[in-house]
Amino acid sequence: MYSSSIADPPLVREPLHAPVAHLIRGGVVEGIHYGSVVVLGADGDVRLQLGDLEAAFYPRSALKPVQAVAMLRAGLPLDGELLSLAAASHSGEERHLAGTRRILELAGLTEGHLRNVPDLPFDPVVRDAWVREGRLPSRLAQNCSGKHAAMLYVCMINGWSLDDYLDPGHPLQQAIAETVEDLTGQRIAQVSVDGCGAPLFSVSLHGLARAAARITTALPGTPEARVADAMREHAEMASGSGRDVAALMRAVPGLLAKDGFEGVQVAALPDGRAVAVKIADGANRARVPVAAAALARAGVDPARLTEFAGEPLLGGGVPVGSVRPVRALDPITMPACA
């Protein structure tokens, strides 16, 4: 299904995005969200494409399942909810903080070893409570702290240095880059720095979808399957209470899903069907309904996706419109599955 050879890196260029969602108010198209969408069949072939699938882009946190696979390959001894947390963009709830502390304890380390940027919790309700209590930004509360704690654990296991674990030339980051190229099937185009301070690898939207499919179709017990199992079974640990990505995994049996800043979404089913979405302007209001529409095009029963149709647009406090995926994303007539 997927070639074992690694292709050249995607081109660094201005992406040729296309309209993927319309902002409809009172029956009039008030705005247009541009972006790119890819839907892969179980055989790995492209079944639908909108926009630019092959330009270099940054998957942001949607690449975390791949990073978690890399860490397992390098010896990370986690499973279950702590492995899910290692692949998380968490909300900063107490269970996320406690889990991160637990990973650090297993490594014999403390919060002081983390090198991610201090931040307030991601979830607005949790963040507001944090501020009311007079708590300051911390590395533990930042949404990538689970990943960083796992990175440090891998360094301890391998005897690698700790202070510079975020350097792209560090053995840990080199191992992650190798896994990114292996699972996406292409060379990395560019390396930058993510919001949390970790190296950020640029691939294509097509490559991101391939990576997700390879994770969900891997044999039981492999690092890929362990990551998929952990995230699906502990969806709230990989995100948080009330988060759309956790709700999506609960709604669609066997689905692995991960979001990323700047309007990125990837999702894959156990048979290898996969979708990847990039919203050009980074809008979550378009990411969610477009991703749901792409999953319907992949064959997921649309009835399972109704809660992800998007929030209504209000006028005078009442619904007067919605964000609607373009017609090219309408489900095709075929027997529903999943």
Side-chain angles (χ1 to χ4, degrees), residues 247-274:
L248 190 59
M249 285 192 276
R250 289 194 303 267
V252 182
L255 185 73
L256 173 69
K258 185 69 187 76
D259 55 345
F261 280 159
E262 297 302 325
V264 182
Q265 179 78 57
V266 67
L269 291 152
D271 64 1
R273 287 173 290 155

Side-chain angles (χ1 to χ4, degrees), residues 6-297:
I6 298 180
D8 291 337
L11 292 177
V12 177
R13 67 185 183 209
E14 181 177 344
L16 304 173
H17 291 307
V20 294
H22 290 148
L23 185 68
I24 308 292
R25 183 182 294 271
V28 173
V29 176
E30 183 178 34
I32 301 174
H33 288 288
Y34 284 74
S36 296
V37 180
V38 59
V39 176
L40 301 183
D43 56 3
D45 289 346
V46 175
R47 299 300 173 85
L48 173 75
Q49 65 178 73
L50 291 176
D52 198 336
L53 311 188
E54 306 300 348
F57 92 118
Y58 291 119
R60 303 298 297 268
S61 287
L63 201 61
K64 282 178 178 174
V66 178
Q67 293 172 309
V69 170
M71 289 190 276
L72 289 180
R73 290 181 177 182
L76 180 67
L78 296 179
D79 280 296
E81 64 178 11
L82 293 184
L83 177 55
S84 184
L85 183 60
S89 300
H90 66 70
S91 291
E93 299 166 30
E94 285 302 322
R95 61 177 158 185
H96 300 129
L97 276 59
T100 300
R101 291 191 193 98
R102 180 58 181 154
I103 295 173
L104 290 168
E105 289 170 1
L106 290 170
L109 301 172
T110 68
E111 182 180 351
H113 290 93
L114 294 171
R115 292 292 178 267
N116 57 318
V117 295
D119 201 357
L120 294 170
F122 178 78
D123 182 90
V125 175
V126 179
R127 181 171 61 247
D128 288 349
W130 189 283
V131 171
R132 285 196 301 271
E133 295 165 6
R135 302 169 76 176
L136 299 175
S138 78
R139 299 184 193 276
L140 205 64
Q142 197 269 336
N143 75 90
C144 302
S145 64
K147 177 183 78 174
H148 282 255
M151 286 180 169
L152 286 166
Y153 197 178
V154 173
C155 290
M156 287 294 292
I157 288 168
N158 287 280
W160 295 333
S161 57
L162 301 182
D163 289 345
D164 61 342
Y165 75 93
L166 297 182
D167 189 308
H170 191 280
L172 168 70
Q173 302 302 337
Q174 290 293 299
I176 291 174
E178 181 179 338
T179 298
V180 170
E181 293 186 335
D182 174 36
L183 294 182
T184 62
Q186 61 189 170
R187 300 291 178 196
I188 292 167
Q190 196 90 353
V191 180
S192 186
V193 183
D194 212 337
C196 65
L200 180 60
F201 304 110
S202 179
V203 293
S204 69
L205 195 67
H206 193 178
L208 178 64
R210 277 195 300 265
R214 292 188 64 181
I215 288 173
T216 58
T217 58
L219 294 173
T222 60
E224 293 90 335
R226 287 167 60 191
V227 169
D229 289 344
M231 292 181 68
R232 289 183 296 219
E233 293 169 14
H234 303 278
E236 285 77 13
M237 207 65 166
S239 53
S241 302
R243 294 273 292 278
D244 59 77
V245 69
L248 190 59
M249 285 192 276
R250 289 194 303 267
V252 182
L255 185 73
L256 173 69
K258 185 69 187 76
D259 55 345
F261 280 159
E262 297 302 325
V264 182
Q265 179 78 57
V266 67
L269 291 152
D271 64 1
R273 287 173 290 155
V275 306
V277 171
K278 164 64 181 175
I279 304 301
D281 62 5
N284 273 331
R285 72 177 182 182
R287 172 185 61 83
V288 177
V290 169
L295 283 168
R297 280 300 300 261

Side-chain angles (χ1 to χ4, degrees), residues 299-326:
V300 173
D301 183 354
R304 294 187 177 274
L305 301 167
T306 53
E307 68 177 290
F308 309 102
E311 298 179 3
L313 300 178
L314 302 181
V318 298
V320 294
S322 64
V323 177
R324 190 178 305 162
V326 295

